[in-house]
């Protein structure tokens, strides 16, 4: 059985690398993180589909995380966990999203990430 795959979409390279290491150490398959919505959409179109996406709401490029999740939802129903500041949670709620989502506020603890990932993968 293959390890679940998790795509990280995060424009802060230090956070992205920290998340990648945390998840790989927990046994997940984690490809190189991407920094923009456009890169995330391209990844989903051209690569094996991840089982889960961890996505910052504020990203490099023209699309924010919410808009990116909407575009990805048109391709596949991959669950998304949003990572961002508390104020972005209000934006997420106001924008709405039909795909299964979670939210983790920054700064976060590794245990918070791992618990939310497990919960979302077992839905």
């Amino acid at each position: 059985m293959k390890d679940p795959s998790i795509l990280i979409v995060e424009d802060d390279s230090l956070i992205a690398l920290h998340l990648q290491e945390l998840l790989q150490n927990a046994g997940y398959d984690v490809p190189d993180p991407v920094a923009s919505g456009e890169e995330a959409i391209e990844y989903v179109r051209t690569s094996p589909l991840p089982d889960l996406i961890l996505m910052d709401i504020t990203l490099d490029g023209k699309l924010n995380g919410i808009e990116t999740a909407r575009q990805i939802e048109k391709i596949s129903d991959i669950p998304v966990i949003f990572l961002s500041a508390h104020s972005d949670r209000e934006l997420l709620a106001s924008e709405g999203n039909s795909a299964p989502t979670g939210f983790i506020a920054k700064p976060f603890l590794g245990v918070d990430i791992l618990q939310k990932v497990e919960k979302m993968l077992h839905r």
Side-chain angles (χ1 to χ4, degrees):
M1 185 171 146
K2 83 174 189 72
D3 293 330
S5 175
I6 301 172
L7 176 63
I8 299 167
V9 185
E10 168 63 64
D11 60 347
D12 183 317
S13 61
L14 291 176
I15 292 173
L17 292 174
H18 171 70
L19 287 168
Q20 184 179 31
E21 183 178 293
L22 172 74
L23 293 166
Q24 286 175 334
N25 288 341
Y28 296 104
D29 178 27
V30 185
D32 288 337
V34 298
S36 72
E38 293 84 0
E39 289 175 293
I41 292 165
E42 182 65 19
Y43 182 93
V44 169
R45 284 189 177 139
T46 62
S47 302
L49 290 176
D51 297 298
L52 179 70
I53 298 174
L54 286 179
M55 183 158 8
D56 192 5
I57 291 178
T58 305
L59 297 170
D60 287 346
K62 295 179 181 178
L63 300 174
N64 68 27
I66 297 167
E67 294 162 340
T68 301
R70 283 191 183 130
Q71 293 297 315
I72 289 172
E73 184 179 5
K74 294 176 184 177
I75 301 166
S76 181
D77 62 348
I78 303 165
V80 175
I81 298 174
F82 290 106
L83 304 168
S84 208
H86 285 287
S87 61
D88 289 329
R89 187 172 196 158
E90 294 163 5
L91 174 63
L92 179 61
S94 70
E95 291 285 328
N97 195 9
S98 58
T101 61
F103 183 89
I104 298 175
K106 292 179 184 178
F108 52 80
L109 299 174
V111 68
D112 296 333
I113 297 291
L114 296 175
Q115 287 175 346
K116 184 66 84 168
V117 163
E118 278 297 310
K119 182 177 178 182
M120 293 296 286
L121 287 173
H122 290 92
R123 279 190 165 189

